[in-house]
Each structure stands twice: as C-alpha cells, then as structure tokens.
Amino acid sequence: MTHETFQVWLDRYIAAWRSGSAEDIAALFSEDVVYTYRPFRPSVRGREAVVASWLENPDEPGSWSAEYRTLAVDGDVAVSIGETRYPNEDKTYSNIFVCRFNDENECSEFSEWWVEKPRAKD
C-alpha cells in the first residue's frame, strides 16, 4: 500500500457510499473483512455482511459530502483523516479510518473513529 493507492481506495469508498451499489461496496473489501464502525462496538464480519450493513440505512443522495485524505501508510496499514458533512442537519463529523489491506489492495480490517464537531455559537 502506498499513499497514492490508499487515496484511490478512499475516493472509491466515497464513490461507493454515494452510489449505494452493492457491487461498488463489495469491491472495496476482502471476503473476510472485519469492519468496525465505532470503538467498543461489535464488528461486522465478512464482505456480504458489510455490504448489507451499508445498504440497511443509506444516507439520502445529496444529503452529505465527505472528504478523506491519507495521513500515513506503513506496509499494509493505512490511516486517513477527514470530514463528513450533513448540511441539512447542520452536522459535521471528523473521522479517522485505520485500514489493513491484503495483497489485492482489498481492505481486510476497517476501524472508524468519529466525533461530531461542536456547532458554532450564534
């Protein structure tokens, strides 16, 4: 994994989220992926389960925007930082992803940490 290949993967992640296509989502992950949405919560295990979880309660098209960028890469582990914005809800989240990849550049472990940014005082 390189900074560039991880950034391509991050861009594909956003595109898959936007498209809501099971095929696009599945292409990101290994068959045996372990996907953790939040620390201290149970992980979703397996590509099919991850696809199903993404499609269970999708965000409305156009209701959000996201930008993630590569922070660090060490061998098969990559870390990103970024933001997800929901303007209609006046919410912005800061995100950190920690990902491990297999030899086919499929994500085999995904962990996300996020926090809602405080709203500006009027």
Side-chain angles (χ1 to χ4, degrees):
M1 183 60 52
T2 67
H3 282 251
E4 294 77 19
T5 56
F6 185 46
Q7 187 61 57
V8 168
W9 187 89
L10 289 168
D11 294 343
R12 289 177 45 228
Y13 180 97
I14 293 170
W17 183 5
R18 187 167 283 119
S19 77
S21 160
E23 184 176 300
D24 293 346
I25 299 163
L28 297 168
F29 302 104
S30 67
E31 186 174 327
D32 61 347
V33 64
V34 176
Y35 192 110
T36 306
Y37 285 99
R38 296 181 68 184
F40 314 113
R41 300 288 174 106
S43 298
V44 178
R45 296 179 178 273
R47 179 187 291 140
E48 288 183 25
V50 169
V51 171
S53 73
W54 273 43
L55 297 177
E56 189 174 288
N57 189 21
D59 291 317
E60 291 293 321
S63 68
W64 60 275
S65 64
E67 184 178 325
Y68 308 124
R69 69 181 182 351
T70 301
L71 178 65
V73 174
D74 185 11
D76 63 352
V77 176
V79 179
S80 72
I81 58 173
E83 285 193 346
T84 307
R85 291 170 291 286
Y86 292 88
N88 294 342
E89 299 174 28
D90 193 27
K91 291 185 179 182
T92 300
Y93 297 91
S94 291
N95 308 81
I96 298 173
F97 298 163
V98 179
C99 305
R100 182 178 303 275
F101 291 86
N102 64 18
D103 292 338
E104 289 80 38
N105 287 337
E106 297 170 327
C107 185
S108 59
E109 294 177 30
F110 180 95
S111 297
E112 179 177 9
W113 286 264
W114 55 266
V115 63
E116 185 177 350
K117 283 186 158 183
R119 293 184 183 142
K121 305 270 184 200
D122 290 336

